[in-house]
Amino acid sequence: MGRADRQLRLIAEILQVAAALRVEVWLRGGWAMDFFLGEVTRDHEDIDWFAWTADAGALAEGLLTRGCQPVPGPPPDLQLDFAKDGLDNGFTLLDRDVTGRVVVAGGPWAGAPWPEGMLDAGPGRIAGLRCPIVSPRAQIEIKRMMPVWDPSRPRRTKDAEDIARLEAALPARGDRSA
């Protein structure tokens, strides 16, 4: 079984854990793009997620009971990283500011707003697997702006290719990113 198939199985397992805990999670990054497009478009190094900071403890406990192991990484108030069977998952934590905007939960950018409407997309699908995803328009903005927001993260070829795929698909899909 290839890495993409193994990652899809892990995505399904994480969705089961989140549902059992009544915790919201959203795919972001390359897998969010693929779920929007409805197919695996490229190899993915890891699985990137968003989750609410208030749910971080319960989510971490739930993942530990399913055999996920914590991986040291960014500050734990910003992101939780786990590995299972050689597959990496990163859960970037979200919060809301006093006006209700979705913001970075912790770390050096705590309180910085994420793109408007980021969590408002409908679920994406690959085959029979349905998953909440970050809106395609927000994905595009995040991929374009990350090197500006965090100069230590250079522009990557795969990000430019992902942006082109998303922009090409938006008109054809009736712009489900609202």
Side-chain angles (χ1 to χ4, degrees):
M1 178 184 312
R3 179 160 58 174
D5 290 328
R6 293 175 39 239
Q7 287 174 322
L8 285 167
R9 285 180 186 225
L10 186 54
I11 290 168
E13 183 176 351
I14 287 170
L15 290 171
Q16 290 172 347
V17 169
L21 296 170
R22 296 187 177 161
V23 167
E24 292 179 289
V25 293
W26 295 264
L27 277 176
R28 65 184 187 87
W31 274 113
M33 175 191 67
D34 282 1
F35 269 76
F36 173 70
L37 297 173
E39 65 181 334
V40 179
T41 62
R42 62 173 172 82
D43 183 51
H44 299 281
E45 295 172 20
D46 57 10
I47 305 166
D48 298 312
W49 300 88
F50 278 123
W52 295 111
T53 192
D55 296 329
L59 182 60
E61 284 183 36
L63 294 172
L64 290 170
T65 65
R66 296 296 283 263
C68 293
Q69 297 299 312
V71 176
D77 61 340
L78 172 65
Q79 181 166 314
L80 302 176
D81 291 336
F82 290 89
K84 182 174 182 179
D85 300 328
L87 302 175
D88 293 327
N89 284 276
F91 293 84
T92 297
L93 301 176
L94 304 172
D95 206 352
R96 289 196 187 270
D97 66 13
V98 295
T99 67
R101 287 183 310 179
V102 177
V103 297
V104 176
W109 301 282
W114 284 103
E116 192 69 33
M118 178 176 81
L119 306 178
D120 298 339
R125 290 176 185 82
I126 292 182
L129 184 57
R130 234 178 114 172
C131 186
I133 61 171
V134 170
S135 77
R137 293 233 181 260
Q139 273 295 105
I140 291 168
E141 182 176 346
I142 292 166
K143 285 182 175 287
R144 277 202 177 118
M145 294 303 298
M146 192 55 69
V148 175
W149 296 334
D150 182 356
S152 71
R153 298 192 54 176
R155 294 201 185 277
R156 303 175 300 184
T157 301
K158 71 177 182 177
D159 292 328
E161 292 166 352
D162 289 354
I163 290 168
R165 281 187 192 104
L166 288 168
E167 287 180 332
L170 283 171
R173 299 200 186 249
D175 196 355
R176 295 183 340 196
S177 66

